[in-house]
Amino acid sequence: MKVQDWRAGFKVIYPVLLGYIPLGLACGMLLHDAGFSTLAVLLMSLLVFAGASQFMAASMVAMGATTPAIIIMVFFLNLRHSLMSSSMSNRVKKSSIPFILLFSHTLADEAYAVNYNQF
């Protein structure tokens, strides 16, 4: 990708990025209060790109839910991503495999809305 492409993409996505900062801080504090270590909060933020799931997992841990229950609930909560990704599949099917993997990993509600408008 060219530098111009990155700049154009950043101009479109920066309002969403600014919204992630307070949500990320709030989620980090909630996870920490639920008993997660600083490293676990960092890993959750890096590996779980679904804010609603992070908030739900923190709440369930605080209530004493079991790990399988948390995993099952996160799975059902994120089923909506399969619908979003299926509606975007025609737009990215000719892209490279690394791009599709990155695109699918970062497909959240806000990113979906921006990408849908762009395509």
Side-chain angles (χ1 to χ4, degrees), residues 3-115:
V3 175
Q4 302 93 302
D5 295 333
W6 283 98
R7 284 187 184 143
F10 184 76
K11 285 179 183 176
V12 171
I13 201 75
Y14 84 89
V16 173
L17 293 175
L18 292 176
Y20 280 150
I21 294 170
L23 286 174
L25 291 171
C27 187
M29 288 187 278
L30 187 63
L31 288 167
H32 192 269
D33 287 346
F36 285 70
S37 68
T38 304
L39 178 61
V41 171
L42 177 66
L43 287 173
M44 179 78 103
S45 294
L46 292 174
L47 299 175
V48 181
F49 194 75
S53 297
Q54 292 174 336
F55 280 101
M56 186 178 68
S59 298
M60 290 181 75
V61 166
M63 292 185 320
T66 64
T67 301
I70 295 169
I71 291 170
I72 290 168
M73 291 307 297
V74 165
F75 172 76
F76 283 118
L77 179 63
N78 289 325
L79 274 177
R80 71 187 190 282
H81 291 167
S82 61
L83 293 173
M84 290 188 289
S85 63
S86 66
S87 72
M88 296 297 290
S89 63
N90 287 342
R91 311 284 197 248
V92 297
K93 67 182 174 185
K94 294 181 182 175
S95 301
S96 67
I97 297 296
F99 175 81
I100 292 173
L101 289 173
L102 179 64
F103 185 82
S104 62
H105 177 69
T106 60
L107 188 63
D109 301 323
E110 300 85 0
Y112 172 78
V114 170
N115 284 314

